Each structure stands twice: as C-alpha cells, then as structure tokens.
C-alpha cells in the first residue's frame, strides 16, 4: 500500500512540475516563428515584379503557402512605426500609443522609440538611445515569451531602429538595428550591456564603406544578419518556440527616392527575392522545412509618383506640410489679431494646436479648431479637415471615419486630422518628380501583402477582406496562445 501511495505521490509531483513549467511538453507548436515585414511593399508588387522572381523566394511562399490578397490597413497615418507596431500587436494607434513615427508625449515632440534613459551598445553614437517603452501594449514576440514562461528567445533585426524595436516588443532578448554612421548593427542597454560575440564578429566581417540604405545591399545585409542571428542564437533548436522578427527597410528608402516604377525599385525586389530564398534555405537547414511558421507582410504601401500620374491625366499632386503649417498660423494670426503662433506642429497630417497659447490669447480652443478646419477645407487638395473630438458626428464616409478613429490616440495625436484628396500627398523626401510617399487612407497606401507559410499552413488564397490587425490574432491562434494584450484583430481562417 505504501508503495502504491509513493507511486501516486511521484506521479502528482511530476504532473505538478510539468504544470509549473507551463505544460510546454504537450504544446503542439513549431520550433520557430519568423515574421517578415517588407517596408513600403504594395500588394500588387507580388504580381507586377513577378517576372523578376526566381522559384525560391516570393514564388515559393505563394506556391506553397497561403495568400490573403485583400489585406487592408484600417487606420491613419500609414507610416513605418505605426505599421510595425500594429502588425505585431494586432492593434491600432488609439490603443498602442504609437500614433506616428513622431508624436507629442507629455507636451514634447517625441520620436516613437526615443529613450534617453538607455545607452548605445555597439557604437559610440547616439543611435542606440532607443527602446520599446513608448509602446503601451505587448507584441506577438511578447506573447510567445509570456506563453512559455519567458523561456523562449525572441530577436528583432532591421536597418531601422523602429523596424526592429516595435516588433520585438518589451521582453525581447534583443533588437538589432543599423547605425549608419558607425556602419554596424547596434542595440541599446535596454536589452544588454554588451553585444554578443556573434554580433561583434558579424560587424567586423560586414562593415560597409558607404551608405547602403538606398541600395539593394541594405536588404541583403539584413538577410545576412537574420541568418547570423538564427545561427548565433540557435533559434528554433531548443525546447521552446522562438521568434525571429525581420524587417527589410531598403525597399522604403528606395521607394521614397525613386518611386514605385523605377528601375531601382525593380532591382530592389529582384535582389530581395534572392535574399528571401537564402533566408528560407537557411531556415530549412537550421530548423527543418515544416518546423517553422512564417508570415510576410508590409507596414504600409505607397502611392504612384504624382508627376507620373499627372502626365497620364490622373488627378494627383503635392501638399507641402511646412507650407501648410505656415499658412495655418498666418491665417489664425490675422483672424485673432495675434502675433503668437496658435498651431504648434503638423505631423503626418495631424494638427497640434498650442492650447496654452490659445488660452493666453483669450480664445476658446473649440472656436479656433472650428475656424481652422473651415480654412483648411478651403484648399481644393483637402477632402476633409476633421477635429478628432467630432469625428463620430461629422458627415464623412464610414471607411475614413473608422481610420481616423483607430488612428487617434487622445494623449498623443493632437487635435485635427487632415484627409487629402486621393492622389495628393506630402513629401518627406522632396522628390516630387521621381520619388513617392505614403501615410494616407487610400488603397495605394493601405493594401498590403500577407503571406503565411510553413508549419500547419495550407496552400491557398483568399480575396476576402482581412486586416493588418488580424495577423497577430492568426499567429497566436495557430500557436494556441493568448493574443497580445491590445489585440483587436480576428484569426483568419486559412482554408
């Protein structure tokens, strides 16, 4: 009898130990999750540039994976920091706090990943003074960590700091980004005090002599770094499901400078296809084909060059933000007979009023807001000037209303959202006649690719509308783990 009881107690102890470890031995999950963001990739590039592709990159994902052909972004502004954070959180700026690449926080203009409390690790510049602390919610990488009692490894890699930091989230082992001044990959003391030896070795072997961000070499370097991380951290080779988040930024740099139809853009996607093929081959070797779950999407798309559209009779044009900001302040100065600027800033089509200056001038913020919106709307290039506080009551199309509401963070987004006419946009590169930009609600900025591949993914495609917020929900559903804590997306049925 004592022996029977001893065996029972032993069984209970073993079960309790397994339960205390999260019961991971019973979880059916892949060895590795790989997230790929192609910065500024339009959905139609999968087909427009298909003739440049081989069989091992984009075509492999299309032929063997699952394509969601109508994936839409449902917020504004459609910019890099917002896109990366929303793909990985399954949320929107109203919840994530990442209201743009730049926004106001506690009354001060702030870059999305700024963190003055940390130090650069890997160089002597200030490029490493970054962290995910401005992100108010968790990401897929965090969800994978939490579900496995923080034992999994999660790594983010990109040329852009925000392209590595926003996906990797708060609990990452590391996020690595490229210091263009030092020409090496770096991180911050938020993650570690010293670079691992494999990163130091990679930097020594791959130090660049020139600025490669605006060339296909930028994406090749990121692919090489991702493969080095795969090997250096032995991702997908332990007892847990690890996560590798990769963002290819050079497609964005090249698109801004040269546009959507330039030879440079074609070459960028030709080379990226080859880099994807190498990455997939490395994953096959290190983790095993069928043992990793991968998705590929974009943070935003891009408009065709406005001058090109004009040449072919399509309504299009430029709306210059610095000029618009000056015009707003000049109008309000004359209207209220004041020499003090009442508009503090204009960021990514968001107007930030100076509430203190308005009150000091003895004016009502609501009155100033109403007058300014009427003035802005007088510009024929502007479709709507919408006070955030009145977005739900004004007569604007539901699709635009939804994007404004989802993009509005009360503490960080300012006061007024400007919606331009289709085809019109501001330039952050100043290259009206050659380059392009993004950031608005129109389909050319919001229609992005979404491919799933690998572990438990059937071959197929759907034209049903899916959303950028559904990506995190889908990955977490496949892994049988809880979605990130701000997720509002729904799992996509892959069948």
């Amino acid at each position: 009898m004592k022996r029977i009881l001893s065996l029972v107690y032993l069984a209970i102890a073993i079960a309790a130990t397994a339960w205390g470890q999260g019961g991971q031995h019973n979880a059916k999950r892949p060895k590795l999750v790989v997230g790929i963001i192609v910065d500024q990739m339009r959905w139609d590039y999968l087909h427009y540039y298909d003739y440049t592709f081989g069989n091992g990159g984009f075509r492999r994902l299309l032929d063997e994976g699952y394509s969601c052909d109508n994936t839409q972004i449902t917020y504004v502004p459609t910019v890099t920091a917002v896109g990366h954070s929303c793909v990985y959180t399954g949320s929107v700026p109203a919840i994530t706090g990442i209201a743009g690449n730049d926004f106001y926080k506690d009354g001060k203009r702030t870059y999305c990943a700024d963190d003055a409390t940390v130090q650069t690790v890997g160089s002597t510049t200030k490029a490493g003074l970054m962290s995910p602390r401005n992100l108010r919610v968790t990401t897929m990488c965090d969800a994978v960590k939490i579900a496995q009692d923080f034992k999994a490894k999660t790594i983010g890699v990109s040329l852009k700091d925000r392209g590595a930091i926003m996906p990797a989230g708060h609990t990452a082992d590391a996020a690595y980004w490229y210091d263009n001044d030092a020409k090496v990959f770096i991180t911050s003391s938020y993650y570690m005090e010293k670079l691992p030896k494999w990163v130091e070795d990679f930097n020594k072997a791959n130090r660049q002599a020139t600025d490669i961000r605006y060339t296909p070499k930028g994406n090749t370097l990121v692919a090489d770094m991702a493969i080095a991380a795969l090997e250096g951290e032995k991702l997908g080779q332990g007892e847990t499901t690890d996560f590798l988040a990769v963002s290819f930024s050079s497609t964005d740099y090249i698109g801004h400078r040269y546009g959507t139809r330039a030879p440079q853009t074609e070459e960028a996607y030709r080379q990226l296809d080859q880099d994807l093929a190498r990455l997939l081959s490395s994953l096959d070797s290190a983790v095993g084909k069928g043992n990793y779950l991968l998705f590929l999407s974009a943070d935003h798309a891009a408009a065709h060059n406005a001058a090109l559209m004009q040449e072919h009779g399509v309504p299009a044009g430029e709306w210059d933000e610095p000029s618009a900001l000056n015009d707003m302040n000049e109008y309000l100065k004359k209207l209220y007979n004041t020499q003090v600027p009442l508009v503090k800033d204009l960021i990514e089509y968001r107007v930030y009023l100076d509430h203190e200056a308005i009150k000091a001038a003895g004016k009502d913020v609501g009155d100033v807001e109403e007058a300014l919106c009427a003035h802005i709307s007088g510009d024929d290039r502007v479709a709507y000037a919408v006070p955030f506080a009145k977005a739900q009551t004004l007569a604007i199309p539901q699709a635009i209303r939804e994007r404004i509401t989802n993009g509005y963070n009360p503490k960080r987004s300012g006061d007024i959202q400007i919606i331009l006419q289709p085809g019109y946009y501001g330039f952050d590169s100043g290259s009206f006649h050659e380059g392009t930009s993004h950031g608005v609600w129109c389909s050319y900025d919001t229609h992005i690719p979404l491919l799933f591949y690998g572990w438990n993914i059937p071959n197929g495609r759907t034209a049903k509308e899916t959303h950028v917020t559904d990506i995190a929900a889908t990955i977490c559903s496949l892994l049988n783990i809880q979605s990130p804590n701000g997720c509002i997306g729904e799992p996509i049925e892959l069948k």
Side-chain angles (χ1 to χ4, degrees), residues 94-217:
I95 300 170
T96 68
I98 304 301
N101 289 331
D102 293 270
F103 44 82
Y104 273 75
K105 176 186 174 186
D106 301 325
K108 179 182 178 182
R109 182 162 176 157
T110 303
Y111 175 65
C112 59
D114 270 347
D115 189 345
T117 70
V118 299
Q119 300 297 319
T120 301
V121 175
S123 79
T124 58
T125 76
K126 295 183 178 180
L129 305 185
M130 307 286 171
S131 84
R133 288 191 172 112
N134 289 327
L135 179 65
R136 288 178 159 172
V137 295
T138 58
T139 72
M140 278 187 275
C141 292
D142 292 321
V144 164
K145 275 273 196 181
I146 294 168
Q148 300 174 98
D149 299 325
F150 303 96
K151 295 182 176 71
K153 285 187 177 181
T154 56
I155 304 287
V157 175
S158 178
L159 286 185
K160 294 181 180 180
D161 48 62
R162 57 191 183 270
I165 292 170
M166 296 301 160
H170 302 276
T171 62
D173 293 271
Y176 298 108
W177 57 94
Y178 190 66
D179 184 338
N180 191 56
D181 291 330
K183 301 294 187 292
V184 293
F185 279 95
I186 62 170
T187 189
S188 86
S189 57
Y190 177 89
Y191 304 98
M192 62 188 72
E193 297 302 319
K194 188 177 185 302
L195 290 178
K197 185 177 184 303
W198 69 264
V199 178
E200 292 181 340
D201 291 344
F202 181 89
N203 283 334
K204 289 177 183 177
N206 293 277
R207 189 181 296 271
Q208 305 297 308
T210 59
D211 185 350
I212 63 171
R213 294 174 299 172
Y214 292 87
T215 74
K217 290 182 180 179

Side-chain angles (χ1 to χ4, degrees), residues 336-340 342 355-364 368:
Y336 294 116
N337 192 28
T338 177
Q339 296 303 310
V340 179
L342 301 185
H355 289 226
E356 292 184 3
I358 292 171
K359 292 177 181 178
K363 305 303 177 183
D364 178 76
V368 172

